[in-house]
Amino acid sequence: MTEPTEQAPLAGIRVLDLSRVLAGPWCTQILGDFGADVLKIEAPGRGDDTRAWGPPWLDGESAYYLSCNRNKRSLAVDLADPQGAALVRRLAAKADILVENFKLGGLARYGLDWPALRAVNPRLVYCSITGFGQTGPYAARPGYDFVVQAMGGLMSITGEADGPPLKVGVAMADLSTGLNATIAIMMALRHAERTSEGQHIDISLLDTQIAMLANQALSYLVGGVAPMRMGNAHPTVVPYRLFETSDGAIVVAVGNDGQFRTLCRVLGADDLAVDERFATNGARVVNRAPLEARLQEIFSDWNSVRLSEALIAAGVPAGPVNDIGQILEDPFVKARGAIHAFARDGGAVPSVAFPAKLSATPATMRAAPPRLGENGSDGLNDWLGEGG
């Protein structure tokens, strides 16, 4: 594994990763991208659950596992073996950060819970990721993204108005929890650096999903009416949806009245811009049905590419509805460096890069996701000294 540069913001920070699946590994992958030394502890023989979540496979590893485990080292340890648990305690004494997503109380039986490890490392930032938190009525329940999307209200606002509730196409509760865990860890690490005091971070998928409801949550809290599914339409901005063209579909996202007037001009429908029913966004929301019906009639006469180009040239936010292959082959991806390929065993392991471009301390792509247990000796030597 290539060592991070001294300029990497987390160079010298040690992360003990006891997490599996997505939310925890997503968090620790970000920490690794910025230079942290991430040691992933996995069960011997099977490792992270997602190693088996295929096809597709690349050299025996699932694409799912490869998506969230770069810039880490893997150490296979049986926590149920007292010697294995003792080894992890020794590693925790050297760690700056520990991330785990065991069920409530699951690590206490091994002496690896927060109170036990704080006793051996008072500076430790210990992050527990669960479905429903360390307290509250659902704390003991197991939690997966799909369950939380359902319970957390996201599915109730996803899908067509006359269709069933739908989950989002990627595990947004997991991913947003991973991001928020990373933010919380950075806050706690800053505190530990100033005070030498570690702390316990309790973050759950359901807490995070509720927070990620954002404007939809406030719409209920302010208006008292639960938002419902609206397909591709926006609850409080019009027109902001998908429209069918003569040969496909495009998305138009009109965010203000000026953009609406420009849209009308491009479409040759200036009468809509001066109609008092549509002149302001508030009026357009109230009169959504007749406006969108008229726009759909006009859009049906346009070619998708020609209309997209005309709207974009005029400054109206618009774009095609790409599939994943189309966007990953788009010139944007190459220009922005969104895809990286790790060389390994004469082949390549693809990875989607961290999206933010930091001018002084960028994310680095140092190592492909590790095979199960492949870094045992070097990880132990680096953390505990020669011979472990």
Side-chain angles (χ1 to χ4, degrees):
M1 181 171 182
T2 304
E3 291 297 321
T5 66
E6 293 181 0
Q7 289 76 28
L10 296 181
I13 297 297
R14 289 174 169 174
V15 179
L16 195 58
D17 184 3
L18 275 66
S19 68
R20 301 140 295 166
V21 187
L22 187 54
W26 196 254
C27 165
T28 53
Q29 177 170 267
I30 295 170
L31 299 175
D33 286 353
F34 286 93
D37 181 1
V38 181
L39 190 57
K40 183 178 178 72
I41 305 299
E42 301 188 73
R46 60 182 178 85
D48 191 313
D49 296 352
T50 62
R51 289 182 182 273
W53 286 12
W57 312 95
L58 180 63
D59 297 331
E61 303 284 8
S62 74
Y64 200 118
Y65 167 78
L66 295 174
S67 75
C68 53
N69 285 288
R70 66 171 174 259
N71 290 335
K72 304 178 186 181
R73 297 190 281 186
S74 173
L75 178 63
V77 180
D78 182 1
L79 299 184
D81 182 332
Q83 290 185 335
L87 174 60
V88 174
R89 277 193 294 276
R90 292 174 61 204
L91 292 168
K94 302 290 186 178
D96 300 285
I97 299 163
L98 184 149
V99 179
E100 59 92 5
N101 64 344
F102 281 69
K103 293 178 184 177
L104 182 68
L107 286 175
R109 74 185 74 172
Y110 310 125
L112 299 174
D113 54 326
W114 160 241
L117 295 187
R118 178 173 60 173
V120 300
N121 185 354
R123 296 183 71 257
L124 182 65
V125 173
Y126 188 113
C127 180
S128 296
I129 300 174
T130 57
F132 303 99
Q134 303 291 306
T135 60
Y138 309 139
R141 295 186 187 182
Y144 274 87
D145 175 274
F146 190 18
V147 174
V148 170
Q149 285 198 36
M151 291 182 65
L154 183 59
M155 290 177 61
S156 76
I157 55 172
T158 304
E160 296 296 336
D162 57 354
L166 292 174
K167 69 178 180 66
V168 181
V170 292
M172 288 308 300
D174 270 333
L175 295 171
S176 54
T177 300
L179 290 172
N180 279 283
T182 306
I183 295 168
I185 286 168
M186 290 296 93
M187 302 303 108
L189 186 63
R190 177 66 175 132
H191 176 76
E193 289 171 344
R194 286 197 314 233
T195 67
S196 295
E197 177 187 42
Q199 59 184 295
H200 186 215
I201 298 168
D202 168 10
I203 183 167
S204 82
L205 272 65
L206 188 55
D207 280 310
T208 304
Q209 180 53 69
I210 292 168
M212 296 299 286
L213 292 173
N215 58 299
Q216 295 282 43
L218 265 292
S219 291
Y220 173 78
L221 293 174
V222 171
V225 177
M228 300 302 292
R229 292 181 297 285
M230 298 180 65
N232 289 308
H234 194 287
T236 55
V237 182
V238 174
Y240 197 103
R241 50 162 285 184
L242 179 146
F243 288 96
E244 298 290 340
T245 64
S246 63
D247 63 341
I250 66 169
V251 162
V252 174
V254 170
N256 58 56
D257 297 336
Q259 290 176 354
F260 178 68
R261 291 190 292 270
T262 303
L263 171 69
C264 293
R265 174 172 55 78
V266 172
L267 296 176
D270 290 319
D271 60 305
L272 297 179
V274 297
D275 189 321
E276 64 180 16
R277 294 176 300 165
F278 313 136
T280 66
N281 181 67
R284 292 193 294 275
V285 171
V286 172
N287 297 289
R288 178 195 304 269
L291 174 61
E292 292 187 341
R294 173 72 187 285
L295 290 174
Q296 182 56 72
E297 290 179 3
I298 299 171
F299 274 66
S300 297
D301 294 330
W302 281 79
N303 167 273
S304 293
V305 173
R306 196 160 63 87
L307 180 54
S308 292
E309 291 175 347
L311 292 175
I312 293 167
V316 177
V321 183
N322 290 327
D323 64 28
I324 291 174
Q326 287 172 317
I327 186 56
L328 293 183
E329 297 294 336
D330 191 283
F332 177 92
V333 168
K334 183 175 181 180
R336 296 288 289 172
I339 303 297
H340 178 84
F342 295 102
R344 187 171 74 181
D345 298 339
V349 179
S351 196
V352 179
F354 185 79
K357 320 297 183 186
L358 283 70
S359 62
T361 57
T364 57
M365 308 289 279
R366 303 186 310 282
R371 294 188 174 92
L372 177 59
E374 76 169 282
N375 310 111
S377 59
D378 62 326
L380 291 177
N381 288 345
D382 289 348
W383 281 49
L384 300 179
E386 191 67 31

